[in-house]
Amino acid sequence: MRLRKTTVDSSSSPMMTTLGSHVKHLLTQYVKASGRRIRAVLPKILAQKGFRCPPSIPDGAEEMLATRAPAAHFGAFSATLSMATSLRTIGSTAVRTLLDDQQNPVLLPATPTRVVSIVPSLTESVAATDARLLVGATDWCTHPADLEVTRVRGPKNPDLERIAGLAPDVVLANAEENRAVDLDALRAAGIAVWVTAPATVGEALDSLDRMLSAITGSSPSWLGAARETWRTPYAGPRRRAVIPIWRRPWMALGRDTFAGDLLARLGIDNVLADSAERYPRIELDALPPYDLVVLPDEPYAFSADDGPEAFAAPALCVSGRHLTWYGPSLVEARAVLSGQLA
């Protein structure tokens, strides 16, 4: 298989040559992990990025790609597959290596122009900051309602081939909402992945600041408004609550969760905060004493007719988006949830 780049002289680019050995490793990993699937998707990706190659990748591609292809080809492949179409004129374009919430290095162009988000709250965050950057999002990304981008299935089963075909500069993910195996497959395909992992409101605000600054160049005004909203500590009476998130089987918020921290800032203490698990299964007749039940409408769609009847204590239905999403919804979450919990 011979790759020929039509717009970049890779042999004259030190940066591209340096990345050659790195993409050899990534490409070999991806071929091993994906088998014949790469033979179908890789030509499409390359064609979109300005390469010419055979219509299919023959058997034995793994050995050839790992040992025989010219180093300059790997450099050109890396520059286009790992970054973005905007880097075709690589000459003086800056490339940065930043760290995400998990301290994973993320290689980004100086000015990303193509972003895929596989987390609804991150999709909303980017859309509220610069919607032009978004080229792909999941079917579950419902905010903003008028978002028109390519859909890539769900957070737990993203369409990896469709994502790769969008040629993103970066894919935005979350350590809790997305599967590690899918994120690893994207990285192995040479696609930059930025993973968020906040467990508190403060961590969420800082995480969003880093992520959005990295891809847009600045921190949006709505994020400053969210910080101001949550700056004042809660000073009223406190209540103990159980917070179910699923039914059949019953599951609830446990230790170290963003939603649990947010509720604590509203005077609601999670009775399962010392659980060994973040989302433990629960037996309703074995719960510690509690004053009320908080029932969000996602991920399970609890409602006035589905959930409260299972508990003797008062049950309050709340907005799951305002309780569990970290993004622009944080600006109004304090007022919305305080009203629903009154």
Side-chain angles (χ1 to χ4, degrees):
M1 173 178 161
R2 296 181 62 192
L3 305 181
R4 182 158 65 86
K5 187 71 174 72
T6 59
T7 56
V8 177
D9 179 7
S10 60
S11 62
S12 64
S13 172
M15 189 280 296
M16 296 169 82
T17 302
T18 300
L19 291 175
S21 60
H22 174 64
V23 89
K24 274 189 185 182
H25 172 68
L26 291 177
L27 194 52
T28 301
Q29 277 189 321
Y30 187 61
V31 174
K32 287 180 178 179
S34 304
R36 290 184 177 273
R37 186 173 66 173
I38 193 175
R39 298 184 176 93
V41 68
L42 184 56
K44 177 182 177 182
I45 299 171
L46 293 173
Q48 287 191 346
K49 297 210 171 207
F51 284 101
R52 295 177 182 175
C53 62
S56 63
I57 301 175
D59 291 335
E62 176 186 330
E63 177 185 358
M64 177 177 63
L65 291 171
T67 63
R68 298 181 188 173
H73 290 163
F74 281 107
F77 183 84
S78 175
T80 53
L81 187 56
S82 299
M83 302 170 214
T85 305
S86 62
L87 287 186
R88 285 182 179 176
T89 53
I90 192 70
S92 60
T93 304
V95 179
R96 304 163 294 156
T97 300
L98 305 175
L99 298 179
D100 65 14
D101 286 4
Q102 295 187 318
Q103 300 302 295
N104 294 317
V106 184
L107 188 66
L108 292 176
T111 307
T113 60
R114 299 180 65 81
V115 175
V116 171
S117 170
I118 53 177
V119 180
S121 60
L122 299 184
T123 300
E124 184 181 25
S125 296
V126 176
T129 305
D130 189 348
R132 297 170 300 176
L133 296 176
L134 285 168
V135 296
T138 73
D139 299 343
W140 298 98
C141 294
T142 56
H143 288 74
D146 60 352
L147 182 65
E148 295 185 2
V149 296
T150 299
R151 299 295 173 162
V152 295
R153 288 204 303 251
K156 300 295 186 185
N157 66 334
D159 187 330
L160 302 183
E161 294 183 10
R162 178 169 289 185
I163 291 174
L166 291 171
D169 293 320
V170 63
V171 173
L172 305 181
N174 175 262
E176 186 172 274
E177 292 198 45
N178 305 118
R179 302 188 311 160
V181 64
D182 292 325
L183 305 186
D184 288 342
L186 290 170
R187 293 188 186 99
I191 297 171
V193 178
W194 185 288
V195 181
T196 62
T200 68
V201 171
E203 288 178 5
L205 294 170
D206 290 342
S207 174
L208 289 167
D209 195 358
R210 288 192 302 272
M211 182 193 77
L212 294 170
S213 294
I215 64 176
T216 71
S218 62
S219 183
S221 59
W222 63 258
L223 187 55
R227 285 190 186 279
E228 191 60 32
T229 296
W230 291 96
R231 191 181 305 280
T232 305
Y234 175 81
R238 306 199 69 84
R239 292 174 288 176
R240 290 167 56 81
V242 58
I243 308 102
I245 58 167
W246 202 256
R247 186 171 191 172
R248 304 181 189 92
W250 284 99
M251 300 176 67
L253 292 185
R255 63 171 179 83
D256 301 332
T257 65
F258 166 80
D261 180 71
L262 186 148
L263 285 171
R265 295 166 184 260
L266 298 177
I268 307 296
D269 297 319
N270 180 10
V271 297
L272 299 176
D274 293 329
S275 171
E277 301 176 45
R278 299 185 71 198
Y279 303 101
R281 290 192 180 191
I282 59 174
E283 298 293 337
L284 300 191
D285 58 359
L287 291 169
Y290 56 93
D291 304 312
L292 77 159
V293 182
V294 177
L295 295 172
D297 59 11
E298 63 173 83
Y300 184 90
F302 287 111
S303 67
D305 300 322
D306 186 354
E309 78 286 350
F311 301 89
L316 301 174
C317 295
V318 302
S319 166
R321 172 171 167 261
H322 290 96
L323 178 60
T324 63
W325 289 31
Y326 54 101
S329 59
L330 283 171
V331 176
E332 59 185 17
R334 186 165 192 165
V336 169
L337 292 172
S338 293
Q340 293 173 336
L341 293 168

